[in-house]
Amino acid sequence: MNCLIVDDEPLALSVMESHLKEFKDLKVIGKCRSAVQAFELIEKHKIDLLFLDIEMPKLDGLSFLKSLKNPPLVVVTTAHRDYAIQGFELDVVDYLLKPISLKRMMQAISKARRMQNEKGQETINAPNEATSTNPYIFIRSERENVKVELDSILYVESLKNHVKVVTPSKSYITLVSMSQMETKLPESSFLRVHRSFLVNQNKITHYTHTYLTLDRKSIPIGKMYRDKVVEQLGKNQI
């Protein structure tokens, strides 16, 4: 995996690079002391794994991560615990607190390898709506790639680095981020209503400004998604 280290502290950059040299399958493409420098490198090189500090001048790490359209796998490296929830909401691989030991680094890299392998196996194939009357995806679950028709999906729930895809008859848990899942499902049918939930609009039976119901399951509508959800569902209201 091609790696990029982003940290405004020279000592932290050196320690991270020293740790990464212990792993033969990792290649450090660059070391950056600002988000702007990192952006330039990401534009020029294929980066698989990003080690990202949070508190940096001009643009902090989390804001930088949010600005990336197709971010690589990300391991947050910071001296502060306060950003952990925000980090995992952005589907980061791991959250490492400084000073970072080699043992803790090994754990993070093991997680990144597993996620990279899943991506390489094409865990989810994009549906080809132009050639199929019943669009579908393949979901990697319990060592099998299971075909699931989009119309059968009720909702998708985030479980940190995994997601749960729920149908009326069965649920599937697979190692994919919520953001990856969102890109694979058509916006015309699926709507993000909460940081942890993506729902099939065609399956909604009731809704208010704070929650919606499908197949007797109540799902909360997050504050940051509320305006968009109400606007979208209101298009069919009389």
Side-chain angles (χ1 to χ4, degrees), residues 25 30 40-41 45 54 59 81 97 108 111 172 187 196 221:
D25 61 331
E40 293 297 324
L41 271 176
H45 301 277
I54 292 180
L59 184 65
R81 298 178 181 273
L97 288 173
K111 290 182 183 179
Y172 306 91
E187 293 183 7
S196 298
I221 299 176

Side-chain angles (χ1 to χ4, degrees), residues 132-185:
S132 175
T133 56
N134 296 306
Y136 61 88
I137 55 176
F138 279 105
I139 296 176
R140 180 74 174 180
S141 179
E142 298 179 358
R143 300 184 181 181
E144 292 183 322
N145 292 301
V146 183
K147 181 181 179 179
V148 179
E149 292 188 359
L150 298 189
D151 189 54
S152 71
I153 298 174
L154 295 172
Y155 63 91
V156 181
E157 182 178 0
S158 174
L159 304 173
K160 290 190 176 179
N161 294 328
H162 293 70
V163 296
K164 180 168 69 171
V165 180
V166 180
T167 72
S169 59
K170 190 173 181 180
S171 296
Y172 306 91
I173 295 178
T174 187
L175 183 58
V176 178
S177 71
M178 193 64 155
S179 58
Q180 287 175 302
M181 193 71 191
E182 192 172 10
T183 63
K184 298 298 182 182
L185 298 175

Side-chain angles (χ1 to χ4, degrees), residues 13-222:
L13 288 174
S14 297
V15 171
M16 292 289 294
E17 183 179 31
S18 176
H19 284 340
L20 293 177
K21 284 181 178 179
E22 298 293 327
F23 304 92
K24 294 181 179 180
D25 61 331
L26 303 184
K27 180 180 180 181
V28 178
I29 298 298
K31 298 181 295 180
C32 302
R33 296 187 61 180
S34 73
V36 175
Q37 292 178 349
F39 178 77
E40 293 297 324
L41 271 176
I42 289 176
E43 287 287 292
K44 295 177 181 178
H45 301 277
K46 179 182 180 295
I47 303 298
D48 302 303
L49 183 57
L50 175 64
F51 292 88
L52 183 63
D53 187 23
I54 292 180
E55 293 198 341
M56 295 185 294
K58 295 185 179 180
L59 184 65
D60 66 87
L62 293 181
S63 296
F64 170 60
L65 179 54
K66 291 176 183 178
S67 73
L68 298 177
K69 291 184 178 180
N70 297 298
L73 298 175
V74 177
V75 174
V76 169
T77 61
T78 179
H80 305 278
R81 298 178 181 273
D82 303 341
Y83 302 105
I85 294 178
Q86 291 174 267
F88 283 114
E89 285 178 347
L90 293 171
D91 297 316
V92 300
V93 174
D94 210 338
Y95 191 95
L96 304 185
L97 288 173
K98 300 175 182 177
I100 299 168
S101 66
L102 180 59
K103 179 181 178 181
R104 188 66 185 86
M105 174 69 77
M106 289 174 65
Q107 293 173 342
I109 289 172
S110 292
K111 290 182 183 179
R113 282 171 175 158
R114 288 198 300 270
M115 294 182 71
Q116 181 76 352
N117 287 338
E118 288 291 334
K119 288 172 65 177
Q121 294 169 5
E122 296 182 349
T123 303
I124 295 183
N125 296 322
N128 187 344
E129 296 186 56
T131 59
S132 175
T133 56
N134 296 306
Y136 61 88
I137 55 176
F138 279 105
I139 296 176
R140 180 74 174 180
S141 179
E142 298 179 358
R143 300 184 181 181
E144 292 183 322
N145 292 301
V146 183
K147 181 181 179 179
V148 179
E149 292 188 359
L150 298 189
D151 189 54
S152 71
I153 298 174
L154 295 172
Y155 63 91
V156 181
E157 182 178 0
S158 174
L159 304 173
K160 290 190 176 179
N161 294 328
H162 293 70
V163 296
K164 180 168 69 171
V165 180
V166 180
T167 72
S169 59
K170 190 173 181 180
S171 296
Y172 306 91
I173 295 178
T174 187
L175 183 58
V176 178
S177 71
M178 193 64 155
S179 58
Q180 287 175 302
M181 193 71 191
E182 192 172 10
T183 63
K184 298 298 182 182
L185 298 175
E187 293 183 7
S188 58
S189 299
F190 289 85
L191 180 65
R192 187 77 174 264
V193 300
H194 189 277
R195 63 183 177 83
S196 298
F197 290 98
L198 181 66
V199 305
N200 187 339
Q201 297 181 60
N202 300 321
K203 304 296 183 180
I204 297 172
T205 56
H206 309 82
Y207 81 93
T208 69
H209 282 62
T210 57
Y211 73 93
L212 54 83
T213 304
L214 30 75
D215 195 40
R216 298 184 298 280
K217 168 72 175 180
S218 291
I219 291 179
I221 299 176

